[in-house]
Amino acid sequence: MLPFDKDLSGILQALYDAPIEPPRWEDFLRLTAQASGGEAAALMLLHPESCSVTRSVGINPEATKLYEQHYYRLDVWREPVTRAHDWLGISERYVPFAQLERTEFYNDFALPAGIPHAIAAMVERGPQRIANLGIYRGLRGGAFDEKDLDVVRFLKPHIQRAHRLHTELNKAQARSASLEAALNALSTGVILLGPHRRVVAMNQSAERLVAMGKGLLVRGNTIGLEHPKEAALLHALIASAVSTGEGTGLQAGGAVMVSRQNLPPLHVLVSPVRGFDLDENHPVRAILFVKDPAQRLRHSNSILSALFALTPAECRVAILLGDGYAPKQIAETIGVGRNTLKSQLASIFRKTGTSGQSQLVRLLAQLLSM
């Protein structure tokens, strides 16, 4: 059963504030745990060989450190949960409690930490990491049941939108301290919309797509599309996202494909946002992320250098790998010996946290797709 609209509105306000004001993630987690009947909550990122708890409430910080350093490897919930392509469920669905009680993870960590019962929800699934939301309660509170999932089920698309927004902004801010320059560093088109669904600003990628005059149109300060049915869907998504951004709605926005003549359709993601005002006269209530599948994307040296501290030579090697060149072809193209290239590759893998060429290529593709 869902809480009152005013309670949901408070949760959404904290959630959509969080990408701009990171401490608000704790407010979101606390409110969500309370609304779901939980006593603690955490957001975590799971990598192939590591785990980081990015935000948590109600969990002892020492327990968090122990989990990151050791117990995530023993976490019997992790494998059955993340094996699914998408997930939302109570811990007993994945591991029966009688089985859990016999594990080291339960007796040495979950029980002492006061989190033997959990709700798990997927926030993001990518080639290099998985983001998960966990809601927890102690032994006395008993197991969660299916009705306890109602709040998280409703919030899940909102959480995924806000997390995507958080990732986009972090990536942009890592490249530039200037908001305008940061947005222009993104290969994804970004369109900022104000309270009346008016276009407040666009980055250079969005401006290029609009200038083509195919599919996505901007007339005056209003978003338009060539096809009426697609336009009606997009306008409805924008209206719901703006309402949520203003604190009067509960919808998470959504996605739409924008058809173009003789070109593959654009992929448009609509997300509410709060606290992202350009200035006091230009509030922003929704963001459109526009991806063009036909665009030939390549990383620039400045971006790879900013994100991973690669040298100019290493940037060139990484870009060529991303373009599909084999190491032998790269050595011939840039005129270096086999041992030099081997040393450069080892440094690139170390700096990017990848273990080989295939992982690096997937990482570069993931960054371009964001």
Side-chain angles (χ1 to χ4, degrees):
M1 183 177 179
L2 292 174
F4 293 116
D5 283 358
K6 66 177 182 179
D7 297 322
L8 287 175
S9 182
I11 295 173
L12 292 178
Q13 181 173 346
L15 177 61
Y16 284 114
D17 282 346
I20 315 299
E21 303 175 51
R24 291 285 275 160
W25 282 114
E26 280 85 356
D27 295 331
F28 159 73
L29 290 174
R30 185 180 63 258
L31 292 170
T32 302
Q34 291 172 354
S36 305
E39 300 161 359
L43 281 168
M44 63 183 69
L45 293 176
L46 305 172
H47 302 272
E49 301 299 331
S50 65
C51 170
S52 60
V53 179
T54 57
R55 300 283 171 178
S56 67
V57 295
I59 302 174
N60 188 305
E62 288 302 316
T64 297
K65 290 181 183 178
L66 287 172
Y67 184 83
E68 292 176 327
Q69 294 169 358
H70 177 66
Y71 284 103
Y72 84 91
R73 297 183 181 89
L74 304 179
D75 187 345
V76 294
W77 290 326
R78 184 164 61 101
E79 195 277 330
V81 167
T82 58
R83 183 172 56 216
H85 177 72
D86 195 0
W87 61 87
L88 169 63
I90 60 176
S91 53
E92 282 73 10
R93 180 191 301 175
Y94 303 106
V95 180
F97 192 70
Q99 177 183 335
L100 178 70
E101 285 183 301
R102 298 193 296 269
T103 66
E104 180 182 348
F105 172 74
Y106 172 83
N107 288 287
D108 292 355
F109 178 76
L111 186 60
I115 57 171
H117 300 293
I119 290 172
M122 189 201 76
V123 175
E124 173 194 331
R125 186 184 190 100
Q128 293 297 318
R129 70 179 192 179
I130 293 173
N132 183 71
L133 167 68
I135 308 291
Y136 309 96
R137 67 186 179 203
L139 202 61
R140 183 175 298 180
F144 290 96
D145 57 35
E146 293 298 320
K147 73 176 188 302
D148 293 321
L149 298 176
D150 288 347
V151 171
V152 181
R153 182 177 290 110
F154 169 81
L155 290 172
K156 187 177 175 182
H158 291 277
I159 300 168
Q160 292 173 325
R161 297 277 190 277
H163 192 268
R164 170 70 180 269
L165 181 60
H166 178 82
T167 301
E168 288 281 2
L169 295 179
N170 274 356
K171 184 170 64 175
Q173 290 166 356
R175 300 173 188 174
S176 175
S178 161
L179 175 60
E180 181 180 1
L183 292 177
N184 286 331
L186 294 174
S187 58
T188 301
V190 178
I191 302 176
L192 308 181
L193 301 176
H196 301 292
R197 293 175 272 172
R198 296 297 214 180
V199 175
V200 173
M202 294 187 286
N203 71 347
Q204 291 176 353
S205 294
E207 289 176 348
R208 285 194 292 269
L209 290 172
V210 171
M212 293 173 65
K214 292 188 175 183
L216 184 65
L217 310 172
V218 176
R219 297 186 177 94
N221 292 320
T222 304
I223 295 286
L225 303 180
E226 290 182 341
H227 298 275
K229 288 185 178 180
E230 293 175 354
L233 175 57
L234 179 61
H235 291 159
L237 293 175
I238 290 173
S240 68
V242 168
S243 294
T244 301
E246 292 177 330
T248 59
L250 299 174
Q251 301 304 309
V256 62
M257 304 285 275
V258 176
S259 301
R260 297 182 295 173
Q261 186 175 5
N262 300 324
L263 287 172
L266 298 172
H267 302 172
V268 181
L269 177 70
V270 184
S271 174
V273 66
R274 297 185 186 182
F276 195 56
D277 301 348
L278 296 184
D279 54 53
E280 61 182 12
N281 296 318
H282 297 90
V284 179
R285 295 294 176 262
I287 295 184
L288 271 61
F289 296 106
V290 187
K291 181 181 177 182
D292 182 2
Q295 185 179 3
R296 180 69 172 94
L297 300 177
R298 301 181 85 235
H299 291 285
S300 69
N301 284 18
S302 61
I303 290 174
L304 294 178
S305 176
L307 290 177
F308 304 112
L310 299 186
T311 66
E314 291 167 349
C315 288
R316 189 176 182 189
V317 171
I319 289 171
L320 289 171
L321 278 174
D323 285 346
Y325 285 82
K328 182 178 180 181
Q329 293 173 302
I330 294 174
E332 294 172 352
T333 299
I334 63 179
V336 300
R338 181 176 178 181
N339 289 336
T340 298
L341 181 64
K342 186 176 180 180
S343 176
Q344 289 176 331
L345 287 173
S347 177
I348 292 169
F349 297 150
R350 176 178 54 80
K351 290 180 179 179
T352 58
T354 55
S355 59
Q357 181 178 341
S358 60
Q359 275 197 10
L360 176 65
V361 171
R362 285 198 300 270
L363 174 62
L364 296 176
Q366 181 187 21
L367 290 174
L368 286 173
S369 69
M370 295 298 291

